[in-house]
């Protein structure tokens, strides 16, 4: 199949390029806009309490909404606010309200905090209708300009924080981060490919090709998201960028290595490209298939953000694979050997001494290599038990100098940490009888006595008196462990048990959403991870025709997963002193460490099998596999890890943690697991690794065929970096 595909592409390059051009234009022109959201409640199913509370609130109080933003006033010298200062705050709020700033419905100042260090004004804004609605963000920009003019000649300083301001700062920080990630990714790919191939043409090839098809990826994701009503998280764009360029470059790298190798064997350029596609096709399609299966397993998640992320990344990998097998061969077949210009190094076979020495050492002492590499992963994996999830995405998604972050910290000097986003307790009559004022007063007193609750506001009663909304301010910040523990335990328990007879009560608000998120993720860990492991093992069993190898290959992958999580815990929780890691990190790591770790394992084991089929004993087969495949795994690992490491330059903690964890995980998968642990364990197990299919044995004819082409594996090449 791949031989025929290669022949069609190579002999019809202009038609293939034209077809791709048509597809790109058609998809981009017809695809809906890809809309993302940062509203975490949109990702939860309706049976969770936080979502039930939100639905009840929207039904009973359709016009009510929490303040979209908060104006925070403090004295410039840090002293307590005087009566004159407080009067100035009230006057400023009134003046801003009178300006009728577009989409600002009302601004109302409240009394200063008890210690008089802070005074705030609540800002109501036009309600946002969809994820792409910039109404509130635009209003925050205008409000900030107007507020700056009002306080510049006073003893006060002020800023805008709250949900709308945080969303604006997150968006601006994300756009800046995307630009940094994009530039860093492109520069890294250019530099590394220039080092490997010494050709600016090849260095530019993945940038041009992947850049050309990136619009198709976005369009297809938008179509799928709309068709299946999937909620795409706002961070998906930065992840897609590095996935598309990182994985796409790897596939192009494998193809070009094989193309160069066939040219060195004496084939003409077109025949060499057909041979390259023939040899590369099956191997990278199998590897990409394992990655796509791992990504698609996320559709089993109860969380909408992961159900959308899985198919999105699977689409990116699939498009990268198709481009690598069709568009790239078409372009290269037009260029011929000019693709290597100006380097002549492609004409000579390098010696590959470094990986040859490593392979020889492993062949002599596979037990030592298995013990050291496995011991390293186990040691780091132990640290993973200290993983603690955090839900502080607002500050982590922006820089510490952003206005919303700065004035959120100022707010905490005088207000309870929970005042930024209070929880809500919704009480509803089940019998149709109106709620009694005495009942509401008594219920409010009970809620106020809950440990961890700072204050409970007077209830807002619906027009039919069948529902009441109590605003509950917690002692801790909404995303803090203390707030989540309060909501999960005493607040929900008291809310349910103390509800008057004939009524039902539920707890809503962002803290309640995060509590439900934790429960949903625990459920997903029990479902998604095992299902993905089983599906990947089936792929490995079919590919290798073995029931033994898939078990230790998956064990090594999950060792790499644990080691990666442990490394992240060590750096961010122990060294940097963070309270925890972003709550989505284990799933994000699963996507890349498990999926791509399996990818690299497939490459190495395929070479191991080939060397065994050529008549080599297990230890010698492992030595040769490392010698020939090691350079390509190393090159692919460096490029992919480097592209994800670029996320650490984005300037916020969320992307820094993602970038670090994924890049370290890929490095462990390439340089510890696939390079050392997998071949060493395979050498120790010996022929039993291929039971019952005996994939290490072949007929005489097949063995002779292998002997004639000792590099039939598409990833088996001599030392990449020595050319």
């Amino acid at each position: 199949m791949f031989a025929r595909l290669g022949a069609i592409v190579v002999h019809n390059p202009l038609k293939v390029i034209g077809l791709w051009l048509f597809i790109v234009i058609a998809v981009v022109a017809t695809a809906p806009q890809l809309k993302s959201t940062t509203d975490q409640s949109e990702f939860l199913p309706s049976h969770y309490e936080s979502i039930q509370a939100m639905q009840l609130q929207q039904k009973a109080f359709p016009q009510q909404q929490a303040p979209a933003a908060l104006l925070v006033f403090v004295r410039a010298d840090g002293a307590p606010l005087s009566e004159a200062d407080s009067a100035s705050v009230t006057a400023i709020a009134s003046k801003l309200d009178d300006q009728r700033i577009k989409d600002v419905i009302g601004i109302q100042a409240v009394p200063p905090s008890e210690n008089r260090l802070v005074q705030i004004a609540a800002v109501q804004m036009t309600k946002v209708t969809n994820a792409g609605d910039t109404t509130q963000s635009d209003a925050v920009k205008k409000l900030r300009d107007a507020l700056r003019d009002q306080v510049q000649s006073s003893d006060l300083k002020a800023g805008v924080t709250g949900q709308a301001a945080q969303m604006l700062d997150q968006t601006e920080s994300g756009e800046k981060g995307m630009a940094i990630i994009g530039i860093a990714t492109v520069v890294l790919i250019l530099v590394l490919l220039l080092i490997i191939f010494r050709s600016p043409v090849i260095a530019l090839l993945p940038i041009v090709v992947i850049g050309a098809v990136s619009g198709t990826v976005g369009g297809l994701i938008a179509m799928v998201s709309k068709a299946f009503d999937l909620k795409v998280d706002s961070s998906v764009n930065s992840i897609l960028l590095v996935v598309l360029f990182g994985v796409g470059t790897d596939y192009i790298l494998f193809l070009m290595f094989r193309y160069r190798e066939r040219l060195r064997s004496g084939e003409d350029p077109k025949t060499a490209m057909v041979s390259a596609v023939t040899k590369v096709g099956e191997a990278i399609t199998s590897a990409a298939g394992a990655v796509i299966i791992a990504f698609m397993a996320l559709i089993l998640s109860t969380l909408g953000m992961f159900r959308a992320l899985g198919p999105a990344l699977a689409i990116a990998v699939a498009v990268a694979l198709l481009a690598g097998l069709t568009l790239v061969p078409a372009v290269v077949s037009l260029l011929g050997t000019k693709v290597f210009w100006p380097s002549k190094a492609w004409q000579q076979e390098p010696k590959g001494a470094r990986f040859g020495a490593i392979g020889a050492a492993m062949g002599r002492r596979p037990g030592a290599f298995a013990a050291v590499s496995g011991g390293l992963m186990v040691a780091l994996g132990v640290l993973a038990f200290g993983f603690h999830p955090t839900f502080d995405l607002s500050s982590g998604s922006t820089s510490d100098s952003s206005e919303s972050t700065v004035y959120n910290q100022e707010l905490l000097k005088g207000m309870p940490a929970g005042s930024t986003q209070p929880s809500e307790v919704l009480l509803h009559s089940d019998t149709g009888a109106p709620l009694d004022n005495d009942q509401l007063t008594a219920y409010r007193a009970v809620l106020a006595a809950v440990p961890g609750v700072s204050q409970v506001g007077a209830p807002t009663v619906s027009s039919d008196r069948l529902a009441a909304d109590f605003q509950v301010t917690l002692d801790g910040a909404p995303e803090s462990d203390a707030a989540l523990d309060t909501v999960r335990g005493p607040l929900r328990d008291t809310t349910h048990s103390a509800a008057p007879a004939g009524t039902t009560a539920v707890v809503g608000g962002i803290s309640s959403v995060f509590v439900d998120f934790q429960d949903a993720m625990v459920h997903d860990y029990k479902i998604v991870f095992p299902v993905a492991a089983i599906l990947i093992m089936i792929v490995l069993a079919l590919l290798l025709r073995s029931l033994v190898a898939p078990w230790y290959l998956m064990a090594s992958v999950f060792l790499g997963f644990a080691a990666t999580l442990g490394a992240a815990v060590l750096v961010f929780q122990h060294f940097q002193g963070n309270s925890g890691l972003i709550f989505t990190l284990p799933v994000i790591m699963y996507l890349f460490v498990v999926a791509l770790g399996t990818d690299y394992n497939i490459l190495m084991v395929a070479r191991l099998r080939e060397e065994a089929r050529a008549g080599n004993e297990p230890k010698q087969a492992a030595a040769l596999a490392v010698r020939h495949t090691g350079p390509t795994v190393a090159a692919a690992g460096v490029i992919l890890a480097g592209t994800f490491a670029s996320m650490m330059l984005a300037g916020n903690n969320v992307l820094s943690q993602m970038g670090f964890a994924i890049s370290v995980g890929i490095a462990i998968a390439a340089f510890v697991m696939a390079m050392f642990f997998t071949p060493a364990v395979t050498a120790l197990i010996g022929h039993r690794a291929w039971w019952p299919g005996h994939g290490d044995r072949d007929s005489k004819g097949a063995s002779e065929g292998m002997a004639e082409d000792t590099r039939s594996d598409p990833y088996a090449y001599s030392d990449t970096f020595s050319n």
Side-chain angles (χ1 to χ4, degrees):
M1 180 180 74
F2 291 102
R4 184 176 181 182
L5 174 64
I8 292 173
V9 169
V10 168
H11 292 99
N12 301 277
L14 293 178
K15 292 181 180 179
V16 172
I17 294 172
L19 179 60
W20 268 101
L21 184 62
F22 172 78
I23 292 173
V24 170
I25 294 174
V27 171
V28 172
T30 59
Q33 182 182 0
L34 178 59
K35 298 178 180 179
S36 60
T37 180
T38 56
D39 183 357
Q40 304 302 322
S41 65
E42 293 191 16
F43 301 127
L44 282 168
S46 59
H47 66 270
Y48 283 101
E49 182 170 342
S50 59
I51 305 303
Q52 293 174 353
M54 182 184 69
Q55 292 171 343
L56 176 57
Q57 187 179 48
Q58 292 174 345
K59 180 180 179 180
F61 307 96
Q63 303 302 321
Q64 178 183 319
Q65 57 178 327
L70 297 174
L71 307 184
V72 180
F73 296 86
V74 297
R75 279 188 61 88
D77 57 8
L81 295 165
S82 65
E83 291 297 336
D85 293 329
S86 182
S88 296
V89 170
T90 303
I92 290 172
S94 179
K95 290 178 181 178
L96 292 174
D97 193 26
D98 291 341
Q99 288 185 20
R100 297 290 185 263
I101 297 172
K102 186 179 180 182
D103 294 312
V104 174
I105 299 173
I107 302 176
Q108 180 65 50
V110 301
S113 60
E114 289 186 12
N115 61 10
R116 301 193 66 86
L117 291 178
V118 178
Q119 187 169 356
I120 65 173
V123 182
Q124 297 287 346
M125 294 181 176
T126 303
K127 192 173 182 178
V128 172
T129 57
N130 59 69
D133 190 343
T134 63
T135 296
Q136 292 188 352
S137 295
D138 295 339
V140 169
K141 293 178 183 178
K142 296 173 182 176
L143 187 59
R144 281 176 170 171
D145 291 338
L147 178 62
R148 196 175 298 113
D149 293 338
Q150 291 292 330
V151 300
Q152 64 181 356
S153 59
S154 69
D155 295 329
L156 301 171
K157 66 176 184 178
V160 185
T161 187
Q163 187 174 5
Q166 289 170 347
M167 293 288 289
L168 171 62
D169 291 341
Q170 286 178 34
T171 300
E172 292 181 345
S173 177
E175 291 173 351
K176 179 182 177 182
M178 280 286 292
I180 294 173
I181 290 171
I183 294 171
T185 298
V186 170
V187 170
L188 181 71
I189 291 174
L190 286 172
V191 170
L192 290 176
L193 290 183
L194 279 172
I195 293 173
I196 294 170
F197 288 100
R198 302 174 189 174
S199 166
V201 180
I202 293 182
L204 288 170
L205 185 62
I207 306 299
V208 174
V209 171
I210 298 171
V213 303
S214 60
T216 304
V217 173
L220 291 174
I221 293 171
M223 290 177 178
V224 171
S225 298
K226 182 178 180 180
F228 296 96
D229 192 28
L230 299 175
K231 304 295 184 182
V232 180
D233 182 66
S234 58
S235 64
V236 73
N237 289 328
S238 57
I239 298 175
L240 275 174
L241 178 69
V242 290
V243 167
L244 192 57
F245 276 93
V247 174
T249 301
D250 271 4
Y251 292 158
I252 293 173
L253 184 72
F254 301 151
L255 179 73
M256 294 309 299
F257 276 153
R258 187 59 182 179
Y259 177 60
R260 185 179 65 182
E261 188 264 329
R262 298 313 303 169
L263 288 172
R264 286 171 175 169
S265 70
E267 293 181 355
D268 66 85
K270 289 190 177 296
T271 302
M273 181 51 68
V274 174
S275 298
V277 173
T278 303
K279 299 297 184 181
V280 167
E282 181 179 2
I284 68 170
T285 300
S286 299
V291 175
I292 291 171
I293 286 174
F295 288 166
M296 288 300 294
L298 283 180
I299 63 176
L300 300 175
S301 171
T302 57
L303 297 173
M305 63 185 298
F306 295 137
R307 285 203 306 274
L309 183 60
L313 296 177
I315 289 171
V317 173
V319 172
L321 174 66
L322 290 174
L325 291 178
T326 57
L327 184 56
V328 173
V331 173
V332 174
S333 66
L334 291 176
L335 296 174
T337 57
K338 294 178 182 178
V339 74
F340 298 106
W341 180 89
S343 174
K344 301 294 184 181
W346 63 272
Q347 299 175 349
Q348 291 86 33
E349 186 78 36
K351 297 179 180 179
R354 283 168 287 184
F355 286 94
I358 294 173
M362 177 180 293
R364 290 191 298 269
R365 303 186 65 185
F369 275 80
V372 172
S373 57
L376 174 62
M377 290 190 288
V378 169
L380 287 173
V382 170
L383 295 171
F385 289 101
F387 167 71
H388 183 269
T390 179
F391 290 83
D392 186 4
L393 300 183
S394 57
S395 62
S397 299
T398 59
S399 67
D400 293 338
S401 60
S402 67
E403 185 170 323
S404 61
T405 301
V406 170
Y407 281 91
N408 189 62
Q409 293 301 315
E410 293 286 355
L411 179 65
L412 299 182
K413 293 178 180 179
M415 300 286 186
S419 61
T420 54
Q421 289 180 285
S423 294
E424 309 278 345
V425 172
L426 280 300
L427 185 68
H428 182 262
S429 173
D430 297 329
T431 63
L435 296 174
D436 182 79
N437 286 334
D438 292 338
Q439 287 180 320
L440 298 179
T441 301
Y443 190 57
R444 178 189 179 190
V446 173
L447 294 177
V450 172
V453 171
S454 175
Q455 59 188 38
V456 179
T460 302
V461 184
S462 62
S463 57
D464 58 8
R465 298 196 63 82
L466 295 180
D469 183 357
F470 297 84
Q471 190 173 88
V472 179
T473 302
L474 305 176
D475 289 334
E479 71 283 346
S480 67
D481 292 338
L484 269 58
D485 290 342
T486 297
V487 170
R488 179 185 292 105
L491 182 57
R492 280 189 173 177
D493 292 343
T494 303
T495 295
H496 302 156
S497 62
T503 66
T504 300
V506 288
V507 180
I510 194 66
S511 299
S512 186
V513 169
F514 287 153
V515 167
D516 291 339
F517 248 92
Q518 285 185 326
D519 293 341
M521 290 182 65
V522 170
H523 171 271
D524 288 352
Y525 292 156
K526 296 177 181 178
I527 301 296
V528 176
F529 285 13
V531 169
I534 291 171
L535 292 176
I536 292 175
M537 287 182 68
I538 291 174
V539 171
L540 290 172
L542 293 174
L543 177 66
L544 302 175
R545 296 174 180 83
S546 167
L547 295 179
V548 176
W551 286 98
Y552 70 82
L553 291 178
M554 285 307 300
S556 69
V557 167
F558 279 101
L559 264 181
F561 173 88
T564 303
L565 184 57
V569 169
L570 180 65
V571 170
F572 291 99
Q573 291 184 206
H574 294 294
F575 290 168
Q576 293 192 4
N578 292 350
S579 61
L581 300 170
I582 54 172
F583 69 98
T584 56
L585 192 61
V587 178
I588 298 296
M589 283 172 41
Y590 150 79
L591 286 171
F592 299 105
V593 178
V594 173
L596 296 174
T598 303
D599 197 355
Y600 291 139
N601 264 346
I602 287 175
L603 308 185
M604 183 59 72
V605 173
R607 180 64 189 190
L608 281 163
R609 182 179 61 178
E610 178 197 326
E611 294 295 347
R613 283 180 171 178
N616 295 298
E617 287 303 309
K619 292 183 179 181
Q620 182 63 17
L624 291 171
V626 171
R627 180 186 185 278
H628 295 305
T629 308
T632 309
V633 170
V638 167
I639 288 177
L640 199 57
T643 55
F644 279 105
S646 67
M647 295 173 69
M648 298 173 66
L649 303 175
N652 68 69
N653 201 39
V654 171
L655 291 180
S656 292
Q657 289 185 18
M658 283 187 186
F660 174 85
I662 297 171
S663 60
V664 168
I666 291 171
I668 290 174
F671 295 98
V672 178
M673 181 179 64
M675 193 83 71
F676 299 127
F677 187 76
T678 294
V681 171
T682 304
L684 290 173
I685 295 176
H687 296 291
R688 292 186 297 274
W690 310 102
W691 183 88
H694 302 295
D696 59 333
R697 300 176 187 174
D698 207 348
S699 64
K700 181 178 179 181
S703 297
E704 289 174 353
M706 286 291 184
E708 291 173 4
D709 182 3
T710 59
R711 293 185 180 181
S712 64
D713 181 76
Y715 309 104
Y717 307 98
S718 44
D719 199 329
T720 299
F721 297 107
S722 64
N723 280 295

